[in-house]
Amino acid sequence: MSKKKEKNEQKEIRVDDMRQVLKELMNREIAKLPDLIEQLPPDQRINMVFKLMPFVLPKVNTVNAKSGEAINMFSDWGTYD
């Protein structure tokens, strides 16, 4: 087989096939994460958890009071005895 023909066959790999391969790879690696994180020293484990948080928890946005809204949002909570 000529090198040119071989190169053309390599280009014919479908995008869907590549996505499936990458998806399977990611799933395997994600499944290993708990064990890998458990093996880290405590300071590195905490660092890793914080680095992974943006992928799991939604981003929190700042909320400002608008004109006419109550500024003290805890005023209707009552008091603790």
Side-chain angles (χ1 to χ4, degrees):
M1 183 182 298
S2 71
K3 288 187 179 186
K4 186 174 183 178
K5 187 174 182 180
E6 188 175 315
K7 194 171 187 177
N8 285 338
E9 286 179 6
Q10 289 175 350
K11 288 181 181 180
E12 292 178 9
I13 296 175
R14 294 182 23 191
V15 172
D16 290 340
D17 294 337
M18 288 300 295
R19 285 186 181 145
Q20 185 62 34
V21 169
L22 288 172
K23 183 178 177 182
E24 291 170 7
L25 173 70
M26 291 302 298
N27 284 333
R28 283 195 307 267
E29 294 304 315
I30 289 170
K32 295 177 190 178
L33 279 177
D35 292 333
L36 293 172
I37 292 172
E38 188 67 30
Q39 295 173 13
L40 293 172
D43 60 329
Q44 290 181 0
R45 188 177 322 145
I46 291 170
N47 190 26
M48 181 60 65
V49 169
F50 278 108
K51 285 183 177 183
L52 292 172
M53 277 181 16
F55 297 101
V56 179
L57 301 175
K59 184 177 178 183
V60 177
N61 294 323
T62 303
V63 177
N64 296 316
K66 295 180 183 175
S67 178
E69 292 183 334
I71 294 185
N72 186 355
M73 63 183 191
F74 303 107
S75 62
D76 61 344
W77 282 20
T79 59
Y80 295 100
D81 295 323

